[in-house]
PDB file of all heavy atoms in Angstrom:
ATOM      1  N   ASP A 396     109.918  81.610  83.027  1.00  0.00           N
ATOM      2  CA  ASP A 396     109.560  82.350  81.811  1.00  0.00           C
ATOM      3  C   ASP A 396     109.842  83.860  81.954  1.00  0.00           C
ATOM      4  O   ASP A 396     110.192  84.506  80.976  1.00  0.00           O
ATOM      5  CB  ASP A 396     108.067  82.148  81.462  1.00  0.00           C
ATOM      6  CG  ASP A 396     107.830  80.781  80.846  1.00  0.00           C
ATOM      7  OD1 ASP A 396     108.799  80.000  80.708  1.00  0.00           O
ATOM      8  OD2 ASP A 396     106.648  80.476  80.512  1.00  0.00           O
ATOM      9  N   LYS A 397     109.624  84.377  83.156  1.00  0.00           N
ATOM     10  CA  LYS A 397     109.872  85.819  83.373  1.00  0.00           C
ATOM     11  C   LYS A 397     111.373  86.082  83.225  1.00  0.00           C
ATOM     12  O   LYS A 397     111.768  87.081  82.584  1.00  0.00           O
ATOM     13  CB  LYS A 397     109.427  86.224  84.773  1.00  0.00           C
ATOM     14  CG  LYS A 397     107.919  86.357  84.933  1.00  0.00           C
ATOM     15  CD  LYS A 397     107.599  86.988  86.253  1.00  0.00           C
ATOM     16  CE  LYS A 397     106.104  87.214  86.462  1.00  0.00           C
ATOM     17  NZ  LYS A 397     105.226  86.093  86.118  1.00  0.00           N
ATOM     18  N   SER A 400     112.344  85.683  79.545  1.00  0.00           N
ATOM     19  CA  SER A 400     111.961  86.749  78.649  1.00  0.00           C
ATOM     20  C   SER A 400     112.783  88.022  78.901  1.00  0.00           C
ATOM     21  O   SER A 400     113.166  88.707  77.968  1.00  0.00           O
ATOM     22  CB  SER A 400     110.436  87.018  78.668  1.00  0.00           C
ATOM     23  OG  SER A 400     109.982  87.186  79.961  1.00  0.00           O
ATOM     24  N   SER A 403     116.105  87.479  77.228  1.00  0.00           N
ATOM     25  CA  SER A 403     116.136  87.573  75.754  1.00  0.00           C
ATOM     26  C   SER A 403     115.771  89.003  75.302  1.00  0.00           C
ATOM     27  O   SER A 403     115.942  89.312  74.160  1.00  0.00           O
ATOM     28  CB  SER A 403     115.220  86.526  75.104  1.00  0.00           C
ATOM     29  OG  SER A 403     113.877  86.861  75.335  1.00  0.00           O
ATOM     30  N   MET A 404     115.302  89.850  76.235  1.00  0.00           N
ATOM     31  CA  MET A 404     115.112  91.246  75.865  1.00  0.00           C
ATOM     32  C   MET A 404     116.354  92.055  76.230  1.00  0.00           C
ATOM     33  O   MET A 404     116.315  93.305  76.268  1.00  0.00           O
ATOM     34  CB  MET A 404     113.881  91.844  76.569  1.00  0.00           C
ATOM     35  CG  MET A 404     112.581  91.311  75.974  1.00  0.00           C
ATOM     36  SD  MET A 404     111.091  92.155  76.644  1.00  0.00           S
ATOM     37  CE  MET A 404     110.948  91.396  78.228  1.00  0.00           C
ATOM     38  N   GLN A 410     120.354  93.443  86.117  1.00  0.00           N
ATOM     39  CA  GLN A 410     119.053  93.992  85.799  1.00  0.00           C
ATOM     40  C   GLN A 410     117.929  93.009  86.072  1.00  0.00           C
ATOM     41  O   GLN A 410     116.860  93.402  86.494  1.00  0.00           O
ATOM     42  CB  GLN A 410     119.023  94.417  84.335  1.00  0.00           C
ATOM     43  CG  GLN A 410     119.808  95.704  84.069  1.00  0.00           C
ATOM     44  CD  GLN A 410     119.818  96.078  82.579  1.00  0.00           C
ATOM     45  OE1 GLN A 410     119.955  95.208  81.731  1.00  0.00           O
ATOM     46  NE2 GLN A 410     119.705  97.340  82.313  1.00  0.00           N
ATOM     47  N   HIS A 414     115.043  94.202  88.341  1.00  0.00           N
ATOM     48  CA  HIS A 414     113.794  94.490  87.661  1.00  0.00           C
ATOM     49  C   HIS A 414     112.852  93.327  87.524  1.00  0.00           C
ATOM     50  O   HIS A 414     111.713  93.470  87.083  1.00  0.00           O
ATOM     51  CB  HIS A 414     114.054  95.088  86.292  1.00  0.00           C
ATOM     52  CG  HIS A 414     114.843  96.393  86.304  1.00  0.00           C
ATOM     53  ND1 HIS A 414     114.261  97.568  86.722  1.00  0.00           N
ATOM     54  CD2 HIS A 414     116.122  96.652  86.025  1.00  0.00           C
ATOM     55  CE1 HIS A 414     115.147  98.543  86.665  1.00  0.00           C
ATOM     56  NE2 HIS A 414     116.300  98.003  86.257  1.00  0.00           N
ATOM     57  N   VAL A 415     113.306  92.141  87.838  1.00  0.00           N
ATOM     58  CA  VAL A 415     112.418  90.992  87.756  1.00  0.00           C
ATOM     59  C   VAL A 415     112.334  90.273  89.127  1.00  0.00           C
ATOM     60  O   VAL A 415     111.236  90.146  89.678  1.00  0.00           O
ATOM     61  CB  VAL A 415     112.871  89.966  86.677  1.00  0.00           C
ATOM     62  CG1 VAL A 415     111.906  88.802  86.601  1.00  0.00           C
ATOM     63  CG2 VAL A 415     112.993  90.665  85.326  1.00  0.00           C
ATOM     64  N   PRO A 418     111.011  92.767  92.245  1.00  0.00           N
ATOM     65  CA  PRO A 418     109.595  93.091  92.199  1.00  0.00           C
ATOM     66  C   PRO A 418     108.700  91.834  92.334  1.00  0.00           C
ATOM     67  O   PRO A 418     107.681  91.887  93.004  1.00  0.00           O
ATOM     68  CB  PRO A 418     109.397  93.756  90.854  1.00  0.00           C
ATOM     69  CG  PRO A 418     110.705  93.927  90.211  1.00  0.00           C
ATOM     70  CD  PRO A 418     111.745  93.296  91.082  1.00  0.00           C
ATOM     71  N   ALA A 419     109.130  90.737  91.737  1.00  0.00           N
ATOM     72  CA  ALA A 419     108.295  89.543  91.810  1.00  0.00           C
ATOM     73  C   ALA A 419     108.254  88.971  93.210  1.00  0.00           C
ATOM     74  O   ALA A 419     107.333  88.257  93.586  1.00  0.00           O
ATOM     75  CB  ALA A 419     108.817  88.472  90.836  1.00  0.00           C
ATOM     76  N   ARG A 495     100.814  97.613  93.068  1.00  0.00           N
ATOM     77  CA  ARG A 495     101.108  97.008  91.781  1.00  0.00           C
ATOM     78  C   ARG A 495     101.843  95.679  91.871  1.00  0.00           C
ATOM     79  O   ARG A 495     101.877  94.899  90.968  1.00  0.00           O
ATOM     80  CB  ARG A 495     101.857  97.968  90.873  1.00  0.00           C
ATOM     81  CG  ARG A 495     103.195  98.440  91.475  1.00  0.00           C
ATOM     82  CD  ARG A 495     104.117  98.991  90.397  1.00  0.00           C
ATOM     83  NE  ARG A 495     103.525 100.154  89.730  1.00  0.00           N
ATOM     84  CZ  ARG A 495     103.822 100.486  88.486  1.00  0.00           C
ATOM     85  NH1 ARG A 495     104.676  99.771  87.773  1.00  0.00           N
ATOM     86  NH2 ARG A 495     103.312 101.572  87.925  1.00  0.00           N
ATOM     87  N   TYR A 496     102.448  95.441  93.072  1.00  0.00           N
ATOM     88  CA  TYR A 496     103.169  94.171  93.230  1.00  0.00           C
ATOM     89  C   TYR A 496     102.270  93.052  93.687  1.00  0.00           C
ATOM     90  O   TYR A 496     102.708  91.969  93.942  1.00  0.00           O
ATOM     91  CB  TYR A 496     104.354  94.360  94.182  1.00  0.00           C
ATOM     92  CG  TYR A 496     105.300  95.392  93.678  1.00  0.00           C
ATOM     93  CD1 TYR A 496     105.293  96.704  94.179  1.00  0.00           C
ATOM     94  CD2 TYR A 496     106.200  95.079  92.701  1.00  0.00           C
ATOM     95  CE1 TYR A 496     106.138  97.661  93.671  1.00  0.00           C
ATOM     96  CE2 TYR A 496     107.078  96.035  92.179  1.00  0.00           C
ATOM     97  CZ  TYR A 496     107.029  97.334  92.682  1.00  0.00           C
ATOM     98  OH  TYR A 496     107.862  98.254  92.161  1.00  0.00           O
TER      99      TYR A 496
ATOM    100  N   SER B 104     119.067  89.185  71.728  1.00  0.00           N
ATOM    101  CA  SER B 104     117.879  90.041  71.538  1.00  0.00           C
ATOM    102  C   SER B 104     117.389  90.021  70.070  1.00  0.00           C
ATOM    103  O   SER B 104     116.354  90.590  69.792  1.00  0.00           O
ATOM    104  CB  SER B 104     118.164  91.473  71.994  1.00  0.00           C
ATOM    105  OG  SER B 104     119.316  91.946  71.357  1.00  0.00           O
ATOM    106  N   PHE B 110     105.774  83.250  74.955  1.00  0.00           N
ATOM    107  CA  PHE B 110     105.483  82.047  75.714  1.00  0.00           C
ATOM    108  C   PHE B 110     104.034  81.668  75.696  1.00  0.00           C
ATOM    109  O   PHE B 110     103.188  82.513  75.463  1.00  0.00           O
ATOM    110  CB  PHE B 110     105.921  82.231  77.175  1.00  0.00           C
ATOM    111  CG  PHE B 110     107.412  82.461  77.325  1.00  0.00           C
ATOM    112  CD1 PHE B 110     107.957  83.720  77.265  1.00  0.00           C
ATOM    113  CD2 PHE B 110     108.253  81.399  77.577  1.00  0.00           C
ATOM    114  CE1 PHE B 110     109.315  83.942  77.391  1.00  0.00           C
ATOM    115  CE2 PHE B 110     109.619  81.579  77.732  1.00  0.00           C
ATOM    116  CZ  PHE B 110     110.159  82.863  77.628  1.00  0.00           C
ATOM    117  N   ASP B 114     100.679  84.794  81.711  1.00  0.00           N
ATOM    118  CA  ASP B 114     100.753  85.144  83.125  1.00  0.00           C
ATOM    119  C   ASP B 114     102.105  84.822  83.706  1.00  0.00           C
ATOM    120  O   ASP B 114     102.583  85.480  84.607  1.00  0.00           O
ATOM    121  CB  ASP B 114      99.714  84.364  83.926  1.00  0.00           C
ATOM    122  CG  ASP B 114      98.319  84.966  83.729  1.00  0.00           C
ATOM    123  OD1 ASP B 114      98.225  86.204  83.612  1.00  0.00           O
ATOM    124  OD2 ASP B 114      97.342  84.191  83.625  1.00  0.00           O
ATOM    125  N   ALA B 115     102.771  83.793  83.181  1.00  0.00           N
ATOM    126  CA  ALA B 115     104.061  83.410  83.696  1.00  0.00           C
ATOM    127  C   ALA B 115     105.162  84.268  83.143  1.00  0.00           C
ATOM    128  O   ALA B 115     106.209  84.417  83.720  1.00  0.00           O
ATOM    129  CB  ALA B 115     104.350  81.939  83.398  1.00  0.00           C
ATOM    130  N   SER B 116     104.906  84.911  81.996  1.00  0.00           N
ATOM    131  CA  SER B 116     106.005  85.655  81.378  1.00  0.00           C
ATOM    132  C   SER B 116     105.865  87.161  81.431  1.00  0.00           C
ATOM    133  O   SER B 116     106.841  87.887  81.415  1.00  0.00           O
ATOM    134  CB  SER B 116     106.208  85.200  79.921  1.00  0.00           C
ATOM    135  OG  SER B 116     105.293  85.841  79.095  1.00  0.00           O
ATOM    136  N   LEU B 117     104.621  87.675  81.505  1.00  0.00           N
ATOM    137  CA  LEU B 117     104.489  89.120  81.653  1.00  0.00           C
ATOM    138  C   LEU B 117     104.856  89.513  83.091  1.00  0.00           C
ATOM    139  O   LEU B 117     104.819  88.707  83.992  1.00  0.00           O
ATOM    140  CB  LEU B 117     103.050  89.530  81.367  1.00  0.00           C
ATOM    141  CG  LEU B 117     102.560  89.455  79.913  1.00  0.00           C
ATOM    142  CD1 LEU B 117     101.127  89.824  79.809  1.00  0.00           C
ATOM    143  CD2 LEU B 117     103.420  90.354  79.031  1.00  0.00           C
ATOM    144  N   TRP B 120     103.561  93.512  87.758  1.00  0.00           N
ATOM    145  CA  TRP B 120     103.684  94.798  88.499  1.00  0.00           C
ATOM    146  C   TRP B 120     103.874  95.958  87.547  1.00  0.00           C
ATOM    147  O   TRP B 120     103.981  97.095  87.949  1.00  0.00           O
ATOM    148  CB  TRP B 120     104.861  94.722  89.492  1.00  0.00           C
ATOM    149  CG  TRP B 120     106.123  94.354  88.856  1.00  0.00           C
ATOM    150  CD1 TRP B 120     107.036  95.229  88.290  1.00  0.00           C
ATOM    151  CD2 TRP B 120     106.677  93.053  88.688  1.00  0.00           C
ATOM    152  NE1 TRP B 120     108.107  94.520  87.773  1.00  0.00           N
ATOM    153  CE2 TRP B 120     107.925  93.197  88.008  1.00  0.00           C
ATOM    154  CE3 TRP B 120     106.249  91.780  89.059  1.00  0.00           C
ATOM    155  CZ2 TRP B 120     108.704  92.100  87.717  1.00  0.00           C
ATOM    156  CZ3 TRP B 120     107.066  90.677  88.736  1.00  0.00           C
ATOM    157  CH2 TRP B 120     108.276  90.861  88.076  1.00  0.00           C
ATOM    158  N   GLU B 125     104.510  99.733  80.365  1.00  0.00           N
ATOM    159  CA  GLU B 125     105.815  99.435  81.007  1.00  0.00           C
ATOM    160  C   GLU B 125     106.321  98.075  80.617  1.00  0.00           C
ATOM    161  O   GLU B 125     107.547  97.873  80.452  1.00  0.00           O
ATOM    162  CB  GLU B 125     105.661  99.548  82.534  1.00  0.00           C
ATOM    163  CG  GLU B 125     105.479 100.995  82.988  1.00  0.00           C
ATOM    164  CD  GLU B 125     104.966 101.088  84.442  1.00  0.00           C
ATOM    165  OE1 GLU B 125     104.289 100.138  84.900  1.00  0.00           O
ATOM    166  OE2 GLU B 125     105.228 102.108  85.083  1.00  0.00           O
ATOM    167  N   MET B 133     115.828  98.416  79.642  1.00  0.00           N
ATOM    168  CA  MET B 133     117.060  97.704  80.011  1.00  0.00           C
ATOM    169  C   MET B 133     118.244  98.206  79.152  1.00  0.00           C
ATOM    170  O   MET B 133     119.380  98.201  79.607  1.00  0.00           O
ATOM    171  CB  MET B 133     116.897  96.191  79.772  1.00  0.00           C
ATOM    172  CG  MET B 133     115.896  95.505  80.671  1.00  0.00           C
ATOM    173  SD  MET B 133     116.186  95.719  82.414  1.00  0.00           S
ATOM    174  CE  MET B 133     114.938  96.901  82.866  1.00  0.00           C
ATOM    175  N   ARG B 177     105.490  93.387  73.407  1.00  0.00           N
ATOM    176  CA  ARG B 177     106.664  93.528  74.223  1.00  0.00           C
ATOM    177  C   ARG B 177     107.897  92.981  73.486  1.00  0.00           C
ATOM    178  O   ARG B 177     108.949  93.579  73.554  1.00  0.00           O
ATOM    179  CB  ARG B 177     106.495  92.773  75.543  1.00  0.00           C
ATOM    180  CG  ARG B 177     107.612  92.945  76.513  1.00  0.00           C
ATOM    181  CD  ARG B 177     107.345  92.276  77.821  1.00  0.00           C
ATOM    182  NE  ARG B 177     107.354  90.798  77.723  1.00  0.00           N
ATOM    183  CZ  ARG B 177     107.403  90.013  78.753  1.00  0.00           C
ATOM    184  NH1 ARG B 177     107.445  90.487  79.965  1.00  0.00           N
ATOM    185  NH2 ARG B 177     107.439  88.705  78.576  1.00  0.00           N
ATOM    186  N   ASN B 181     111.439  95.269  70.818  1.00  0.00           N
ATOM    187  CA  ASN B 181     112.903  95.105  70.767  1.00  0.00           C
ATOM    188  C   ASN B 181     113.392  94.793  69.366  1.00  0.00           C
ATOM    189  O   ASN B 181     114.563  94.499  69.163  1.00  0.00           O
ATOM    190  CB  ASN B 181     113.324  93.970  71.704  1.00  0.00           C
ATOM    191  CG  ASN B 181     112.903  94.261  73.133  1.00  0.00           C
ATOM    192  OD1 ASN B 181     113.449  95.151  73.753  1.00  0.00           O
ATOM    193  ND2 ASN B 181     111.924  93.545  73.641  1.00  0.00           N
TER     194      ASN B 181
END
Side-chain angles (χ1 to χ4, degrees):
Chain A
D396 284 0
K397 285 190 177 46
S400 51
S403 72
M404 287 187 285
Q410 285 177 320
H414 297 288
V415 181
R495 59 162 60 208
Y496 300 99
Chain B
S104 55
F110 296 87
D114 285 323
S116 81
L117 288 178
W120 56 87
E125 290 165 334
M133 295 303 105
R177 186 176 70 166
N181 300 292

